[in-house]
Amino acid sequence: MQLQDILYSQGFGTRRVCAGLIQQGFVQVYEPNNPLAPVKCAQAATEFDAVGLRFQVQGVDWPYAERAYLMLHKPAGTECSQKPSTYPSIYTLLPAPLRQRPQKGAVQGVQAIGRLDQDTTGLLLLTDDGKFIHRMSSPRHHVPKVYEVTVKHPLTPAQVSQLLAGVVLDDDPKPVRAAACEAVSDHHLRLTLTEGKYHQVKRMLAAVSNRVEGLHRSQIGGLVLTEDLKPGQWRWLTAEDLALIQA
């Protein structure tokens, strides 16, 4: 695969722009026999095996990824929208190549899988793999999501039992149940859901006469948001991470 095509596929601009980056000496490639010192490549048409390739563009390291899979620690005061109405978009937290990866559809770059409200923090997955988005978003997939909920009023055993048994929301007569529910402290509830209705956590707590004061998603499937990934930071998902999500 030509180097200019590799850069294009990773979101570094049109093929002409990518060729220009290479010709101006802004691109270095890590060779398999020397993985510590990248070598400058000034020929846009130079062929490389893309799989496993690592390279630098303007001093920043990048791995080749046929499809991008990311996790982001969403901070408060951000919207999961390409066209936010009030708060900054989560997409501004990502480098330009991830937002520009070419797609067949009208929307380019990685997309969030599901949404978190502007005041909700925590684990958010993003990808440019449409099939993966569909599979993860499908109600039939039932990927458990764990939320750390700060509530206004002290929790009672009856409220926890009610959430596990099921509560009725105003738009659906069918009860909605928590897959797991634990009162960590008087005002801290750990809630696990396998479906994603609009404002579901807030509405479920309202149904048991309590109120959400803070909401943080700590886990999706077996993938836990660790403390080393600070609010606003992102990282690539590994094969092991993906296996944890889909297990």
Side-chain angles (χ1 to χ4, degrees), residues 158-178 191 193 195 197 200-209:
Q159 289 175 338
V160 173
S161 298
Q162 224 178 325
L163 291 167
L164 288 168
V167 296
V168 176
L169 306 181
D170 54 16
D171 64 345
D172 191 347
K174 184 179 178 181
V176 176
R177 297 175 177 83
L191 188 69
L193 303 178
E195 51 189 324
K197 294 180 179 292
Q200 183 171 343
V201 176
K202 295 176 181 178
R203 293 160 69 203
M204 287 179 73
L205 266 296
V208 297
S209 302

Side-chain angles (χ1 to χ4, degrees), residues 21-79:
L21 287 170
I22 297 164
Q23 291 160 3
Q24 293 173 59
F26 292 132
V27 180
Q28 296 176 300
V29 178
Y30 289 91
E31 297 179 338
N33 58 351
N34 191 8
L36 299 179
V39 177
K40 187 177 292 184
C41 180
Q43 300 299 319
T46 303
E47 296 272 346
F48 289 94
D49 183 359
V51 178
L53 185 70
R54 289 173 57 233
F55 54 91
Q56 283 189 356
V57 179
Q58 296 179 309
V60 178
D61 269 24
W62 286 89
Y64 172 81
E66 183 177 0
R67 289 280 179 246
Y69 304 93
L70 318 172
M71 63 185 292
L72 170 74
H73 186 162
K74 180 190 175 295
T78 54
E79 294 184 28

Side-chain angles (χ1 to χ4, degrees), residues 174-193:
K174 184 179 178 181
V176 176
R177 297 175 177 83
C181 187
E182 173 194 1
V184 180
S185 68
D186 284 351
H187 293 271
H188 178 187
L189 182 74
R190 182 166 294 131
L191 188 69
T192 303
L193 303 178

Side-chain angles (χ1 to χ4, degrees), residues 68-99:
Y69 304 93
L70 318 172
M71 63 185 292
L72 170 74
H73 186 162
K74 180 190 175 295
T78 54
E79 294 184 28
C80 296
S81 172
Q82 296 278 6
K83 298 179 180 179
S85 59
T86 308
Y87 297 87
S89 169
I90 57 159
Y91 296 100
T92 62
L93 301 171
L94 302 175
L98 291 174
R99 304 194 308 265

Side-chain angles (χ1 to χ4, degrees), residues 133-145 174 193-197:
I133 292 174
H134 177 74
R135 186 164 66 251
M136 291 293 294
S137 304
S138 171
R140 292 176 296 179
H141 199 58
H142 295 304
V143 180
K145 299 176 178 68
K174 184 179 178 181
L193 303 178
T194 56
E195 51 189 324
K197 294 180 179 292

